[in-house]
Amino acid sequence: MSTSTPTGRAWQLAARPHGWPTPADFALVETPNPEPEPGQILVRNLFLSVDPYMRGRMNDVKSYAPPYELDRPMLGGAVGRVVASAADGVAVGDHVLHGLGWREYALVDAAQAAVVDPAQAPLPAYLGVLGMTGLTAYAGLLRAAEFTAGETVFVSGAAGAVGNQVGQIARLKGAARVIGSAGTDEKCALLVDEYGFDAAFNYKNGPVAAQLKDAAPDGIDVYFDNVGGEHLEAAISALRVHGRAALCGAISAYNDIEPAPGPRNLGLLVGRRITLRGFLVRDHQDLKPDFVRDVGGWLRDGKLRYRETVVTGIDQAVAAFLGMLRGENTGKTVVALPE
Ligand code: NAP
Ligand code: FER
């Protein structure tokens, strides 16, 4: 045990957003920090993850992740330092990855926390490039989409956390051609110049189908879908015989009030023997050793690059989340909580 700050701030959901969330849907509340019971640790969070799926948890809808409760601290990935421990095997001063984000201090069951080593990688990397979004890219491309060397890959949301890593893993695993789409010309330049994509286009500059046709005149073998909507329809039209799409997310629809129409070209799936496969990263934890070996090695060798969007201060967490939904981020978005 050790002494700790008596209170900490936590973000609660104050109202369920209708369409785009507004700051009034959230409340930053000061709460006492309880002492750990046997098996528990008290963690001073240092980096919080903000992720697109959190928007879904703000709705009162049964889904793969339960809805956030109103007037209760929200949940999410976080990395922090243990400040009090009543658990065997986790000591004060250890750093841990856990699921009680959106708050400064978290009382965590040690069984639900993983010790991480800040000497092996900077702490925010455990939320991004070496964490959940990185494994999503790895598992989605290699397992859900069954990518193999020599294929042409298109990824949407390509300058974001998952997307940039999909493109780089495809390149490093021998893709014939890697194409990305993103929402600004600067992001597209980054994809080509820094991440080694063969081509990139700004989906805000014109119809996706026409821009994809220019970038991949011979079609694509794999589509990694982070966006849904117009992107998915365009990609289906571009997929070749035996093409596959890994459906990772559909962020273009997360703030919709009415369901958007689906792709109008599903008839193509039959003749082209196309597979569309949804996946969740939680089902692919067995790939973690391969993922850490591959990505850790590429990072050490300078073959895989990454950027993070770091927003500082617990009071800025909602702004960081909304900014990420609007595309203000490049790479993984994290909130830093300096001590
Ligand atoms: P991210 O890409 O770092 O951030 C979200 C990005 O979405 C923004 O930067 C923005 O970039 C883009 N975006 C927002 N609205 C858009 C629209 N209408 N059309 C096209 N792009 C839009 O987030 P991430 O954490 O890496 O997540 C990417 C996707 O993967 C999301 O769909 C997420 O839900 C999904 N995901 C799924 C799993 C899983 O297990 N299945 C796990 C992690 C993430 P632009 O500037 O390019 O618009
Ligand atoms: C996301 C982040 C995480 C997402 C899904 C997950 C679809 C979750 C995955 C899991 O529980 O395995 O943005 O969007």
Side-chain angles (χ1 to χ4, degrees), residues 43-123:
V43 181
R44 170 59 164 81
N45 283 335
L46 296 170
F47 293 95
L48 310 177
S49 185
V50 290
D51 293 275
Y53 78 98
M54 292 168 169
R55 176 63 190 84
R57 298 191 72 173
M58 293 167 192
N59 298 331
D60 193 14
V61 173
K62 201 167 156 18
S63 182
Y64 58 89
Y68 289 141
E69 291 178 53
L70 288 178
D71 304 322
R72 302 278 300 160
M74 294 189 290
L75 307 171
V79 179
R81 186 173 46 78
V82 177
V83 293
S85 176
D88 293 338
V90 188
V92 169
D94 282 352
H95 291 88
V96 290
L97 170 69
H98 63 90
L100 298 183
W102 286 103
R103 68 197 80 186
E104 290 177 295
Y105 286 87
L107 185 67
V108 183
D109 287 337
Q112 306 298 318
V115 175
V116 297
D117 183 357
Q120 288 291 318
L123 288 174

Side-chain angles (χ1 to χ4, degrees), residues 39-315:
Q40 292 182 324
I41 51 178
L42 184 66
V43 181
R44 170 59 164 81
N45 283 335
L46 296 170
F47 293 95
L48 310 177
S49 185
V50 290
D51 293 275
Y53 78 98
M54 292 168 169
R55 176 63 190 84
R57 298 191 72 173
M58 293 167 192
N59 298 331
D60 193 14
V61 173
K62 201 167 156 18
S63 182
Y64 58 89
Y68 289 141
E69 291 178 53
L70 288 178
D71 304 322
R72 302 278 300 160
M74 294 189 290
L75 307 171
V79 179
R81 186 173 46 78
V82 177
V83 293
S85 176
D88 293 338
V90 188
V92 169
D94 282 352
H95 291 88
V96 290
L97 170 69
H98 63 90
L100 298 183
W102 286 103
R103 68 197 80 186
E104 290 177 295
Y105 286 87
L107 185 67
V108 183
D109 287 337
Q112 306 298 318
V115 175
V116 297
D117 183 357
Q120 288 291 318
L123 288 174
Y126 292 102
L127 299 171
V129 67
L130 284 167
M132 185 277 286
T133 54
L135 183 60
T136 301
Y138 191 87
L141 179 70
L142 301 181
R143 189 175 268 164
E146 300 184 57
F147 165 79
T148 57
E151 293 189 318
T152 292
V153 175
F154 171 48
V155 55
S156 54
V162 173
N164 87 80
Q165 220 166 330
V166 169
Q168 293 192 72
I169 295 169
R171 166 174 59 73
L172 289 160
K173 294 267 185 189
R177 188 168 170 76
V178 179
I179 299 138
S181 67
T184 69
D185 293 349
E186 292 72 23
K187 288 183 181 185
C188 292
L190 179 77
L191 294 178
V192 174
D193 299 342
E194 190 158 320
Y195 297 146
F197 284 53
D198 297 286
F201 63 85
N202 178 349
Y203 67 87
K204 293 177 181 166
N205 283 350
V208 177
Q211 297 199 77
L212 181 55
K213 183 92 189 150
D214 286 346
D218 300 325
I220 61 176
D221 301 295
V222 165
Y223 172 50
F224 193 108
D225 189 21
N226 286 318
V227 163
E230 183 192 356
H231 270 90
L232 178 56
E233 185 172 293
I236 288 170
S237 287
L239 279 167
R240 297 178 180 140
V241 169
H242 296 304
R244 289 93 54 210
L247 306 190
C248 178
I251 197 167
S252 69
Y254 289 0
N255 290 303
D256 283 358
I257 291 161
E258 293 295 330
R264 293 164 296 180
N265 53 355
L266 291 178
L268 291 175
L269 269 52
V270 179
R272 293 195 200 164
R273 288 85 98 199
I274 289 168
T275 303
L276 307 185
R277 177 180 286 157
F279 75 98
L280 286 176
V281 63
R282 71 174 67 157
D283 298 329
H284 302 283
Q285 297 301 319
D286 61 299
L287 282 177
K288 208 147 185 196
D290 290 354
F291 160 69
V292 170
R293 184 204 59 224
D294 278 356
V295 173
W298 291 326
L299 288 170
R300 261 192 306 280
D301 297 345
K303 293 178 173 168
L304 188 142
R305 304 209 182 155
Y306 71 101
R307 289 193 182 188
E308 292 161 340
T309 296
V310 183
V311 177
T312 300
I314 185 77
D315 55 318

